[in-house]
Amino acid sequence: MAREKWTKLNRKSKSKDVDRQYRRMERSSRFWNRIDPANRFRHWYMGAISITRSLFRIKAAWQTVAILVAILSVLYVLASFYTGRGEFIIKLDRRMADDGFAISETMDFSENLRTLHDEAADHVTNITLADIPFNVMDVDGKHNGKNYVAFTFYLKNKSLETHDYRYELMLISASKKAETAAWVMLFKNGTQQIYAQANKNGYPECLYSEWEFPFAEYAEKPESMTIVTDAKNAHVTDEMIQYHEFSDIEGLHQLQTVPWESGDLVCSGNRPGIEPNEVDKYTVVIWIEGDDPDCVNDIIGGHVEMRMKFYYY
């Protein structure tokens, strides 16, 4: 019993000695920490390093954000540049789509879409109406040819009610005044009209030929394709005669275009009473008309982009 008691006292004494030694070391550490310049410098240095690293991390994060924003901006500009170079877009209004209308490149409506895109025709040069294939409205979907854009599509009323709708064909963007020589032929259910900006005198642009013009039998307004009997009544000016190098304008076939409705609006129209499951067929052809007096060297390298939109009225 005495030995066990002595052992416990000895252990207790050693424990107190260890505690006293630890407290002395802690006081000494606090003391030297307060007066040791090297130790203070070490703490200041480590703190400065920590703050600097934090700042660099923040700066690096902002630099990363700035780089990503710059890359996205460049991609956006490139995308805008690409889609603004001669594409033709067909768009169905959301209300019509929600009611069951659809557009498709094929008559079977294997795809029911709201938007159709035709690819840009690059490196085009001027042509004339006679250069466009006679079966241009018989080919479905996008079928651009050499130096022209062509798209045939279908619009179907898949709802259970009869509706009225309206269409607008508009210029979206252009450069170098290429739109002044851009002609558009629009087929609607087998009939066509040709649109061009009015000439400098405010009269419709015209074509002249010794032979009947192609697509004449599909003309929505047959009076737009006539034979000139009086140059003055046909608004044929001396400037036009000189441009076309005519010696005698009378007796020639004349194709009179329909002027654009406004600055950017090529044409528009109403379609009343389309029945359920009824289908309308459209073909749009766009080209630079070489016999247009505005087809000059200054428009070389320009572009034209158009859009056709359908909506209720």
Side-chain angles (χ1 to χ4, degrees), residues 38-82:
N39 198 42
R40 285 189 177 185
F41 177 78
R42 182 175 66 83
H43 284 289
W44 292 341
Y45 174 76
M46 294 301 295
I49 289 294
S50 178
I51 294 173
T52 303
R53 286 176 178 174
S54 299
L55 291 175
F56 272 108
R57 282 196 295 269
I58 295 171
K59 183 178 180 181
W62 280 109
Q63 286 177 339
T64 302
V65 172
I67 291 171
L68 290 174
V69 170
I71 292 173
L72 291 174
S73 300
V74 171
L75 291 175
Y76 176 79
V77 171
L78 290 176
S80 300
F81 178 82
Y82 175 76

Side-chain angles (χ1 to χ4, degrees), residues 55-257:
L55 291 175
F56 272 108
R57 282 196 295 269
I58 295 171
K59 183 178 180 181
W62 280 109
Q63 286 177 339
T64 302
V65 172
I67 291 171
L68 290 174
V69 170
I71 292 173
L72 291 174
S73 300
V74 171
L75 291 175
Y76 176 79
V77 171
L78 290 176
S80 300
F81 178 82
Y82 175 76
T83 57
R85 292 294 170 183
E87 285 191 345
F88 177 57
I89 303 168
I90 302 138
K91 197 172 184 67
L92 190 65
D93 181 73
R94 181 176 292 278
R95 283 185 59 204
M96 292 182 68
D98 290 344
D99 284 346
F101 279 84
I103 51 178
S104 173
E105 294 186 18
T106 56
M107 184 69 174
D108 61 4
F109 281 81
S110 56
E111 289 185 307
N112 298 317
L113 302 173
R114 254 193 77 199
T115 305
L116 298 173
H117 293 265
D118 196 355
E119 298 172 355
D122 296 323
H123 310 296
V124 301
T125 188
N126 62 84
I127 58 174
T128 192
L129 179 65
D131 296 318
I132 297 172
F134 191 69
N135 67 340
V136 69
M137 69 172 176
D138 299 324
V139 183
D140 287 346
K142 56 180 75 72
H143 51 101
N144 298 347
K146 186 177 182 181
N147 301 315
Y148 66 87
V149 169
F151 203 123
T152 298
F153 63 97
Y154 301 86
L155 184 149
K156 186 173 184 178
N157 179 7
K158 304 183 80 171
S159 72
L160 300 177
E161 299 179 359
T162 300
H163 290 279
D164 305 329
Y165 72 80
R166 181 175 175 81
Y167 66 84
E168 288 184 350
L169 180 58
M170 298 195 66
L171 176 72
I172 301 304
S173 68
S175 63
K176 295 192 173 184
K177 295 186 177 181
E179 73 279 10
T180 59
W183 287 29
V184 180
M185 181 163 53
L186 174 62
F187 289 88
K188 298 179 294 182
N189 293 327
T191 62
Q192 60 84 7
Q193 285 200 90
I194 299 176
Y195 301 87
Q197 286 194 357
N199 62 30
K200 295 177 181 178
N201 298 304
Y203 297 118
E205 291 286 11
C206 296
L207 286 181
Y208 301 92
S209 173
E210 295 180 1
W211 301 276
E212 188 179 45
F213 288 100
F215 310 106
E217 61 267 43
Y218 302 112
E220 185 173 335
K221 296 180 179 179
E223 63 272 17
S224 66
M225 295 185 179
T226 59
I227 295 178
V228 179
T229 57
D230 185 295
K232 185 176 181 180
N233 290 337
H235 305 300
V236 181
T237 63
D238 292 338
E239 180 185 7
M240 293 169 66
I241 293 174
Q242 183 178 2
Y243 174 81
H244 291 288
E245 298 180 352
F246 294 136
S247 57
D248 187 5
I249 194 78
E250 294 181 3
L252 293 180
H253 289 269
Q254 181 190 57
L255 185 158
Q256 187 176 95
T257 63

